[in-house]
Amino acid sequence: MPAAAVDPWERHAGWWQEHFTAGADPEYTEQIEPLVRAWLPPGGTVADLGCGEGQLARLLAEAGWERVLGIDPSAAQLALARARGGGPAYVRGRVDAVPLAAGTVDAVLVCLVLEHVADLDAALTEIARVLRCGGRLVLLLNHPLLQAPGSGWVDDHILGEQYWRLGGYLTEQVGEEEVAPGVRLPFVHRPLHRYLNGLRRSGLALEEVAEPAPAAGFQARAPEYDAAAEYPRLLGLRCVRAA
Ligand SMILES: C[S@@+](CC[C@H](N)C(=O)[O-])C[C@H]1O[C@@H](n2cnc3c(N)ncnc32)[C@H](O)[C@@H]1O
């Protein structure tokens, strides 16, 4: 198959695995992993949708969940997930067409996935369908307000100004982002109300919100971010599936 015809996440699975898993990324070790542990105390069956190479699925198994299912469309991610073991079972599938029966899971985790999915409403409908009533969703996103495309810290030495620039926010944009040289991945920007209203319409009631400050280990690697510590990179939403 020509390289361009291969799904970008399949093509760049190795890049993700090298830079963001197995302790390589302080945003996972210092921020995402503790939040997932705190928000998903063990109890029954949990599905990690868009699980990648399974780092959070393994964490949930280790935390004591009885059954952990990792689901991802990328064969390369699932191959490494299976090789790394640790207890979860893995199935190939998508968050917008989840290969599970209705009402069969007690919790769903979706971490840094929906920004790459074109049909948000299909994904939220599927999440609500597979959750039992009273089950929990933990959704982690790049902060939709502060990390909109074109946003970032500006240090203007000529004018002597430092500020956080906000990129275009209100317009939903489907595009590609060059996240590293030669690594282009699909990225969908949506304003926050699209997520919050979509969750509510799908019967997923908001319980808790987290906007953690940038991780210390991230800032140690990006000192220019020091002055921007007031601007979160991550948004966490915990929801409960209404009856
Ligand atoms: C940024 S990685 C996050 C992986 C994992 N959730 C983690 O936090 O380690 C994004 C993942 O989303 C997956 N993905 C892309 N489109 C998807 C879709 N429609 N449904 C489910 N997963 C998808 C990719 O294959 C990739 O593994």
Side-chain angles (χ1 to χ4, degrees):
M1 206 185 302
V6 177
D7 180 273
W9 269 108
E10 195 70 272
R11 194 167 349 127
H12 299 302
W15 166 81
W16 167 260
Q17 293 160 357
E18 181 186 343
H19 295 284
F20 297 93
T21 76
D25 179 13
E27 294 197 292
Y28 272 90
T29 53
E30 293 176 22
Q31 215 163 47
I32 292 174
E33 292 177 8
L35 187 59
V36 168
R37 271 185 197 277
W39 275 7
L40 286 174
T45 298
V46 58
D48 179 3
L49 305 180
C51 63
E53 59 64 69
Q55 57 186 333
L56 299 176
R58 286 190 296 282
L59 176 147
L60 292 168
E62 199 247 341
W65 283 83
E66 284 148 36
R67 192 157 172 253
V68 183
L69 301 168
I71 295 176
D72 199 283
S74 159
Q77 297 280 31
L78 294 183
L80 186 60
R82 291 189 179 108
R84 287 184 166 170
Y90 293 100
V91 181
R92 202 162 177 194
R94 305 170 53 89
V95 66
D96 40 355
V98 182
L100 295 174
T104 51
V105 301
D106 300 289
V108 165
L109 170 64
V110 184
C111 177
L112 304 185
V113 173
L114 292 187
E115 303 90 325
H116 308 292
V117 173
D119 191 341
L120 175 68
D121 297 311
L124 295 178
T125 301
E126 279 294 87
I127 291 165
R129 180 184 67 78
V130 300
L131 269 175
R132 68 163 170 80
C133 290
R136 294 247 146 60
L137 163 67
V138 169
L139 175 58
L140 300 176
L141 298 165
N142 288 292
H143 200 297
L145 172 59
L146 293 159
Q147 304 296 331
S151 301
W153 186 243
V154 177
D155 190 358
D156 187 328
H157 291 278
I158 296 171
L159 294 178
E161 288 179 349
Q162 290 189 322
Y163 57 94
W164 188 262
R165 179 183 59 215
L166 281 186
Y169 173 67
L170 277 177
T171 307
E172 195 158 332
Q173 302 169 44
V174 183
E176 263 192 349
E177 247 184 38
E178 184 155 28
V179 290
V183 180
R184 298 187 71 82
L185 290 169
F187 187 86
V188 188
H189 165 71
R190 306 178 172 96
L192 184 57
H193 70 261
R194 275 288 285 123
Y195 288 101
L196 297 182
N197 290 336
L199 288 164
R200 185 181 46 75
R201 286 191 198 111
S202 306
L204 296 160
L206 192 57
E207 267 193 339
E208 194 80 43
V209 178
E211 292 180 298
F218 170 81
Q219 288 190 259
R221 290 182 188 179
E224 74 282 3
Y225 220 92
D226 257 6
E230 282 294 306
Y231 300 90
R233 292 167 49 80
L234 190 73
L235 175 69
L237 303 173
R238 191 180 68 187
C239 304
V240 62
R241 169 80 167 92

